[in-house]
Amino acid sequence: MFEAHAATLVAAAEALQALSEDGGSTERSLKVIQDREHEADDIIREVLHTVRLTFLTPFDRGAITDLIGAMDDAIDEMLTAARAIDLYDLRQLRPEMKEIVVLIVEAAMVTNKAIPLLRNVGKNGKDLHELTARLVELEGQADEIHAAGLKRAFQEYSQSGPLQFAVAREVFKNLERVTDAFEDVANEIDGIVIDHS
């Protein structure tokens, strides 16, 4: 179930990247992200139901619900970002926004690579730690890009287009929250590794 959810993260991130391409169809990409988010919601409900019915779980019940919740937050934040891009009818994202989207795609792929390794935490602890370190690194890069992009947007729009700056700030904030959610995923995985390796 975790692996199925991780696959929805990759699909949604790739659709977000398509949405970020200049002149891309926001309607088509938004629909893909919405569909993957609905699939993810179904998976999280199944996980929570299964956890309630299972006497022995592979890790602590709290760790299971916290990890799937963090993963679900990541796809929810992707949907929020995509909706903001669609709402403001942005046909061309700022270069820094596109850079953050590239980091989001990588974070989804790193998560997708990490999740199957949880099948044997003891054996895969080192690899999991390296992958979670990469997720944290990606979040840090996104923070720096976010700050630089926001500053540049302010410089460009402060006199001529305060509304455009407000839109840029909102989209930057939403994209940065996606990477924050992936850092939370990394922290949850690290907690499982510490407890079980």
Side-chain angles (χ1 to χ4, degrees):
M1 287 182 270
F2 277 105
E3 290 168 14
H5 197 294
T8 68
L9 292 174
V10 172
E14 289 172 345
L16 186 61
Q17 189 167 37
L19 181 65
S20 75
E21 295 170 4
D22 293 345
S25 167
T26 57
E27 184 179 333
R28 183 173 57 245
S29 296
L30 182 58
K31 171 107 173 67
V32 171
I33 296 168
Q34 286 174 324
D35 289 347
R36 297 302 78 79
E37 193 272 338
H38 292 315
E39 286 175 26
D41 284 345
D42 291 341
I43 293 166
I44 194 169
R45 278 192 293 276
E46 186 180 353
V47 167
L48 296 176
H49 178 73
T50 304
V51 165
R52 281 195 309 270
L53 298 178
T54 304
F55 182 68
L56 291 175
T57 57
F59 344 110
D60 178 70
R61 283 177 165 75
I64 290 171
T65 57
D66 289 347
L67 176 56
I68 199 70
M71 291 171 68
D72 206 53
D73 288 346
I75 198 164
D76 289 345
E77 294 294 353
M78 280 189 245
L79 181 57
T80 300
R83 284 181 172 153
I85 292 166
D86 181 62
L87 172 68
Y88 298 121
D89 199 27
L90 295 181
R91 295 292 175 193
Q92 186 169 8
L93 296 187
R94 299 184 62 82
E96 299 88 353
M97 292 175 185
K98 292 179 182 182
E99 289 178 49
I100 295 173
V101 170
V102 168
L103 298 179
I104 289 168
V105 172
E106 184 179 347
M109 290 183 175
V110 169
T111 301
N112 193 41
K113 187 175 179 181
I115 292 299
L117 298 180
L118 290 172
R119 289 178 178 268
N120 189 340
V121 177
K123 176 184 166 199
N124 299 318
K126 181 179 179 293
D127 292 336
L128 283 163
H129 180 68
E130 289 172 4
L131 292 169
T132 58
R134 180 61 184 151
L135 288 173
V136 172
E137 184 181 322
L138 290 169
E139 193 277 335
Q141 289 175 9
D143 278 350
E144 291 175 15
I145 294 167
H146 171 243
L150 205 55
K151 182 174 184 175
R152 201 163 76 100
F154 179 76
Q155 290 167 344
E156 288 177 25
Y157 298 138
S158 63
Q159 300 299 318
S160 62
L163 182 59
Q164 288 175 300
F165 174 71
V167 167
R169 184 178 58 198
E170 180 74 12
V171 173
F172 270 124
K173 178 181 72 175
N174 289 325
L175 291 171
E176 200 266 337
R177 283 183 178 169
V178 179
T179 61
D180 287 347
F182 277 113
E183 184 181 31
D184 292 342
V185 170
N187 293 337
E188 295 301 336
I189 292 172
D190 277 339
I192 292 169
V193 172
I194 289 166
D195 288 344
H196 293 88
S197 63

